[in-house]
Amino acid sequence: MTIDSDAPVRARIADVDLPADLAERRRAAVAEAVTHAEPAGGGNRRAAVGVRRYGPGCVALALRGRFDRAGRERLRALATEVERQARTELVIDLSGLDHCDAALARVLARLRIRCLAREARVELHDPPEALAAELGQFRL
């Protein structure tokens, strides 16, 4: 993913060249998104976002660190492109998220709801406990 911090969010979501098995592609795309996460905001080096496409309509999104207001705004703008491309499936990896405040939870919930409304499958991986409860994704 490439984000131009001086302009409105324009992101090119990179494809991952992976095996034919969807589950393997999904795992590899999440790993790639985690590995190649870039700073979410101009001055915010604590928060990072990684995005990879792993098939037609399938997108993996990884969030890392702690999102401040600028990082949330960049994520909100990027979410429009992610939503547009995740027509079939969206996997959101939150295992590297340090903190999830109410504002970040709203951004993620909105993205999730919009994808689900278009009948795309949405998976949340390792959300913080409070976010999981808020989204009805209780952890065992």
Side-chain angles (χ1 to χ4, degrees), residues 15-36:
D15 289 318
V16 179
D17 186 25
L18 300 169
D21 179 62
L22 179 61
E24 287 180 37
R25 284 198 323 261
R26 185 182 304 119
R27 277 190 294 278
V30 168
E32 281 269 326
V34 167
T35 301
H36 299 289

Side-chain angles (χ1 to χ4, degrees), residues 14-34 51-61 87-91 121 123 125:
D15 289 318
V16 179
D17 186 25
L18 300 169
D21 179 62
L22 179 61
E24 287 180 37
R25 284 198 323 261
R26 185 182 304 119
R27 277 190 294 278
V30 168
E32 281 269 326
V34 167
V51 184
R52 289 293 185 267
R53 190 172 47 213
Y54 56 95
C58 299
V59 176
L61 172 68
R87 296 177 315 275
T88 305
E89 186 171 283
L90 173 63
V91 177
R121 179 175 180 254
E123 278 184 21
H125 290 205

